[in-house]
């Protein structure tokens, strides 16, 4: 019985933080700033979201797909980089774990707006049961876009040569990104 209790305790210790309530304050708290003296830039990396940890009601509202159906194994975050001249770039950095390549090449938001899309390299891991392909993609988010969607959030559909994927970024995540910089100015 003690072993079962200990096992249950360890499971809860590692699983509860993944499903803890996430909101704008959580985004601000988890943000990490770094400076690159060689490039003359500063960057802020906001926390990763594992898409399956978001609430089902929120996923259905934004994408029309139920969490209990197929939810893509997307992980994403936002990274802001400030250049020497003070200009800022916001990137939605995402990764999709798959069993084969989708060859992602473009993205649109739920308003039908074509998003600037960047496709860095991917990874392939081999297992005795098959392979896991991780496709990375970045979507450029202008600061004004983040401000416009801080209450509603935004859904994105990423198109590839062989497949497509739909996911969303909640409004509270955008709000947390903006709040971080407001707090820095105070």
């Amino acid at each position: 019985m003690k072993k079962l209790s200990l096992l249950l305790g360890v499971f809860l210790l590692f699983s509860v933080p993944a499903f803890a309530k996430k909101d704008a304050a959580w985004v601000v708290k988890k943000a990490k700033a770094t400076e690159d003296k060689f490039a003359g830039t500063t960057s802020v990396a906001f926390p990763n979201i594992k898409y399956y940890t978001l609430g089902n009601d929120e996923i259905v509202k934004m994408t029309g797909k139920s969490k209990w159906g197929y939810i893509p194994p997307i992980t994403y975050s936002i990274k802001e980089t400030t250049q020497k001249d003070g200009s800022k770039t916001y990137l939605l950095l995402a990764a999709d774990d798959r069993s084969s390549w989708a060859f992602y090449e473009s993205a649109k938001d739920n308003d039908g707006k074509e998003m600037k899309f960047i496709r860095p390299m991917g990874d392939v891991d081999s297992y005795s049961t098959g392979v896991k392909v991780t496709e990375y993609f970045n979507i450029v988010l202008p600061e004004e876009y983040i401000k416009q969607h801080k209450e509603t959030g935004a859904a994105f559909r990423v198109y590839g040569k062989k497949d497509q994927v739909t996911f969303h970024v909640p409004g509270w995540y955008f709000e947390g990104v903006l709040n971080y910089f407001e707090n820095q100015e105070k």
Side-chain angles (χ1 to χ4, degrees), residues 66-112:
S66 172
K67 184 174 184 175
W68 310 115
Y70 173 73
I71 295 300
I74 298 278
T75 301
Y76 64 80
S77 64
I78 291 179
K79 181 178 181 182
E80 179 275 341
T81 303
T82 303
Q83 303 297 322
K84 290 179 191 178
D85 64 3
S87 63
K88 292 183 177 189
T89 303
Y90 293 86
L91 287 177
L92 175 61
L93 309 170
D96 185 11
D97 291 329
R98 313 174 48 82
S99 60
S100 64
W101 293 99
F103 300 105
Y104 294 130
E105 57 190 5
S106 65
K108 289 186 178 183
D109 73 358
N110 53 316
D111 295 326

Side-chain angles (χ1 to χ4, degrees), residues 96 98 100-108 114 117 119 135-137 156-167:
D96 185 11
R98 313 174 48 82
S100 64
W101 293 99
F103 300 105
Y104 294 130
E105 57 190 5
S106 65
K108 289 186 178 183
E114 188 80 28
F117 189 82
R119 187 174 186 275
E135 285 199 65
Y136 299 104
F137 55 89
F156 300 95
R157 179 161 292 158
V158 181
Y159 299 91
K161 292 177 182 173
K162 291 189 172 186
D163 204 358
Q164 63 186 18
V165 66
T166 303
F167 68 99

Side-chain angles (χ1 to χ4, degrees), residues 30-66:
K30 296 289 186 177
K32 293 192 177 17
T34 58
E35 181 180 5
D36 183 341
K37 292 184 181 194
F38 295 100
T41 61
T42 57
S43 296
V44 179
F46 293 93
N48 281 340
I49 295 288
K50 291 181 187 274
Y51 194 59
Y52 66 86
T53 64
L54 297 178
N56 188 52
D57 292 343
E58 185 176 4
I59 290 172
V60 171
K61 177 182 168 191
M62 292 300 295
T63 67
K65 299 178 185 277
S66 172

Side-chain angles (χ1 to χ4, degrees), residues 142-151 174 178 182:
E143 186 172 11
E144 192 57 38
Y145 186 91
I146 294 172
K147 289 177 181 177
Q148 290 170 351
H149 292 86
K150 76 177 188 177
E151 291 179 22
F174 288 145
L178 296 171
E182 288 174 10

Side-chain angles (χ1 to χ4, degrees), residues 3-28:
K3 288 182 181 179
L4 182 61
S5 297
L6 180 62
L7 184 62
L8 182 60
V10 169
F11 173 75
L12 289 173
L13 179 67
F14 287 104
S15 64
V16 169
F19 294 99
K21 177 162 174 46
K22 294 175 176 68
D23 58 14
W26 175 83
V27 173
V28 172

